[in-house]
Amino acid sequence: VQLVESGGGLVQPGGSLRLSCAGSGFSLSNYHIRWHRQTPGKERELVALITSPTDNINYADSLKGRFTISRDNAKRTVYLQMNSLEPEDTAVYYCSAVFRAGSTVYWGQGTQVTVSS
């Protein structure tokens, strides 16, 4: 099982980025996928979740509708579209996959997002 995040980078405030979480070695469509983020000195926080098989979606309340999570099973990829980015969104973003509650959680290596002028 491998997860690889991509799409991070430097963006100005108000800009957008789309992160990708590509899975290999397993059927990503069968897993609950979460996006998390972490800044130095802080705990990792949950950003968004998409469940399997129903694709129920939840977001952190603080995102105020700026982020959208989606899944493309054919491409074995989950996306996080981030709009109206703020400096406070600067973090390393990680995706995780879990088959069901209590089973092994798989993590990607993370991708850095920096929002700065």
Side-chain angles (χ1 to χ4, degrees):
V1 174
Q2 186 177 18
L3 295 169
V4 178
E5 301 97 334
S6 62
L10 174 64
V11 63
Q12 293 186 343
S16 298
L17 283 175
R18 189 178 77 160
L19 306 183
S20 299
C21 171
S24 61
F26 69 109
S27 181
L28 184 139
S29 62
N30 292 334
Y31 283 67
H32 308 309
I33 305 297
R34 292 175 171 85
W35 282 100
H36 315 253
R37 65 186 183 184
Q38 188 170 26
T39 55
K42 294 187 177 181
E43 292 188 358
R44 192 170 296 186
E45 65 170 329
L46 178 64
V47 172
L49 159 69
I50 185 166
T51 66
S52 173
T54 58
D55 282 357
N56 289 330
I57 290 173
N58 282 294
Y59 299 98
D61 291 340
S62 61
L63 296 180
K64 301 177 183 178
R66 297 184 294 118
F67 289 11
T68 302
I69 189 171
S70 61
R71 184 199 295 268
D72 185 335
N73 291 330
K75 295 183 177 180
R76 297 186 176 185
T77 301
V78 171
Y79 302 99
L80 184 69
Q81 177 68 43
M82 307 186 296
N83 299 327
S84 302
L85 283 163
E86 304 169 353
E88 292 74 21
D89 296 316
T90 296
V92 178
Y93 285 71
Y94 301 88
C95 63
S96 69
V98 62
F99 182 66
R100 60 175 178 266
S103 61
T104 301
V105 181
Y106 300 99
W107 291 89
Q109 83 290 348
T111 185
Q112 176 71 49
V113 171
T114 302
V115 184
S116 175
S117 56

